[in-house]
Amino acid sequence: MAVSNPYQAYQENSVLTASPGDLTLMLYNGCLKFLNLAKKAIEEKNITEKNTNLQKAQNIINELMVTLNMDIEISKQMMALYDFVRTKLIEANVKNDLAALEEAESIMIEFRDTWKEVIKLNRQQTYTKDGQV
């Protein structure tokens, strides 16, 4: 099966070859993208676009929630925060509430930025451990 869109082929290949850590980062970035689109839609009073993008963001939050390893203590805390974010997204959708959306967005930015640092540190440790320094 040939893919006619090179950008789409690149994206699919990126997902298929990404590490679990990179996939999580992609989820955070995708969620933030949909939150920005939803924010713009609220400002433009485009209810359909707002709803579509907030639902996409909620689906990403759901995916992040089901991938948590609940045997690890921090996962329980993350689950509570993800649930809070999901609740804020529902509130933003039902009430066209930019403040609720921005509250959820700020938490997701923190998660994304922290996760980027974890990946960076992990790669540095792996690089150093392999005797490459």
Side-chain angles (χ1 to χ4, degrees):
M1 175 172 114
V3 178
S4 60
N5 181 339
Y7 179 71
Q8 182 181 1
Y10 171 78
Q11 281 186 312
E12 288 174 10
N13 193 44
S14 294
V15 170
L16 293 174
T17 60
S19 71
D22 289 332
L23 287 172
T24 301
L25 185 59
M26 288 177 189
L27 287 172
Y28 286 136
N29 285 329
C31 184
L32 289 168
K33 176 183 97 172
F34 294 128
L35 293 180
N36 282 325
L37 292 170
K39 189 187 308 184
K40 182 179 175 199
I42 289 174
E43 291 166 352
E44 295 173 353
K45 300 189 183 340
N46 186 333
I47 303 305
T48 303
E49 281 298 308
K50 172 210 63 168
N51 181 56
T52 298
N53 287 296
L54 285 175
Q55 285 185 3
K56 287 179 180 181
Q58 287 172 48
N59 288 339
I60 290 172
I61 299 297
N62 290 338
E63 183 64 26
L64 290 165
M65 290 172 87
V66 299
T67 61
L68 288 173
N69 179 351
M70 297 311 289
D71 294 334
I72 301 171
E73 188 59 37
I74 190 112
S75 293
K76 295 172 185 160
Q77 296 164 0
M78 290 178 71
M79 179 67 83
L81 285 168
Y82 286 151
D83 191 47
F84 178 79
V85 168
R86 186 174 55 183
T87 300
K88 287 294 173 183
L89 296 181
I90 293 167
E91 184 180 325
N93 203 358
V94 170
K95 298 179 180 178
N96 294 318
D97 187 345
L98 270 175
L101 191 153
E102 289 169 350
E103 191 171 358
E105 179 184 43
S106 70
I107 292 169
M108 294 310 295
I109 288 170
E110 281 291 320
F111 271 129
R112 192 256 337 258
D113 292 348
T114 301
W115 194 252
K116 278 168 68 170
E117 278 301 307
V118 167
I119 290 172
K120 180 180 168 185
L121 291 172
N122 189 35
R123 286 186 179 146
Q124 287 173 349
Q125 288 175 348
T126 301
Y127 187 69
T128 303
K129 189 186 333 179
D130 291 341
Q132 301 291 326
V133 175

